[in-house]
């Protein structure tokens, strides 16, 4: 297992509605590159990015879907979508991992990750709009 550090600039997304304007920042803070695992095909390489989401606001924010891609040598080498399944508490930070299986012909690195996280702003109306597909705000993250 070879640890890699991914340094990111973060983008801030805001969502309005019902009197508050929540902010959500997401950053990929670290990556781990592994070659095989006990009992698995030793030629399979995977990478896990640890992502930190910070909610500087006074209401919890539910993180929903994450879409991301891994980039090496200027080309996308892996893409994935997964559920974040996290609620970032008020004035809190929550971390989660984004795994990716690298193709056999993937370059040895360095790897970049970029993606978007869909989230539900605070409030019952925002949850209804999100669930019905009318409003799905996102925040982007990308390595430098």
């Amino acid at each position: 297992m070879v640890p890699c550090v991914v340094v990111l600039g973060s983008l801030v997304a805001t969502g309005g509605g019902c009197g508050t304007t929540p902010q959500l920042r997401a950053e990929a803070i670290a990556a781990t590159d592994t070659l095989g695992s006990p009992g698995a095909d030793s030629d399979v390489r995977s990478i896990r990015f640890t992502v930190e989401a910070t909610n500087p606001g006074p209401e919890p924010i539910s993180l929903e879907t994450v879409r991301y891609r891994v980039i090496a040598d200027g080309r996308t080498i892996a893409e994935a979508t997964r559920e974040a399944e996290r609620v970032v508490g008020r004035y809190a930070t929550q971390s989660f991992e984004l795994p990716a299986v690298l193709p056999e012909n993937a370059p040895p690195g360095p790897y970049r990750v970029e993606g978007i996280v869909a989230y539900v702003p605070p409030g019952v109306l925002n949850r209804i709009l999100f669930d019905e597909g009318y409003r799905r705000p996102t925040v982007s993250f990308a390595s430098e």
Side-chain angles (χ1 to χ4, degrees), residues 7-84:
V7 180
L8 286 190
S10 64
L11 299 174
V12 176
T14 60
C18 299
T20 62
T21 304
Q23 295 180 328
L24 180 68
R25 291 186 296 271
E27 296 184 59
I29 58 169
T32 304
D33 184 1
T34 60
L35 178 60
S37 60
D41 184 350
S42 63
D43 292 338
V44 174
R45 288 178 49 214
S46 64
I47 191 164
R48 292 181 329 227
F49 293 94
T50 301
V51 177
E52 245 181 35
T54 301
N55 175 11
E59 299 292 330
I61 295 177
S62 177
L63 304 182
E64 299 292 325
T65 305
V66 182
R67 289 192 332 238
Y68 59 101
R69 64 188 188 137
V70 178
I71 301 164
D73 287 342
R75 65 184 175 96
T76 299
I77 59 170
E79 293 182 275
T81 300
R82 67 175 305 211
E83 298 304 311

Side-chain angles (χ1 to χ4, degrees), residues 13 16 19-20 38 45-46 60 64 69 91 101 104 115-117 128 132 142:
T20 62
R45 288 178 49 214
S46 64
E64 299 292 325
R69 64 188 188 137
Y91 308 112
V101 174
E104 287 182 28
I116 59 170
V117 180
I128 292 168
E132 295 300 320

Side-chain angles (χ1 to χ4, degrees), residues 4 13 15 55 62 69 91 99 120 136 138-139:
C4 305
N55 175 11
S62 177
R69 64 188 188 137
Y91 308 112
V120 181
R136 295 196 177 227
T138 60
V139 61

Side-chain angles (χ1 to χ4, degrees), residues 76-129:
T76 299
I77 59 170
E79 293 182 275
T81 300
R82 67 175 305 211
E83 298 304 311
E85 300 175 343
R86 297 282 186 276
V87 174
V88 184
R90 57 191 212 111
Y91 308 112
T93 298
Q94 180 78 235
S95 64
F96 56 95
E97 289 188 345
L98 299 177
V101 174
L102 304 177
E104 287 182 28
N105 63 348
Y111 302 110
R112 294 183 56 237
V113 62
E114 43 183 61
I116 59 170
V117 180
Y119 66 95
V120 181
V124 175
L125 178 59
N126 284 323
R127 170 51 81 180
I128 292 168
L129 293 173

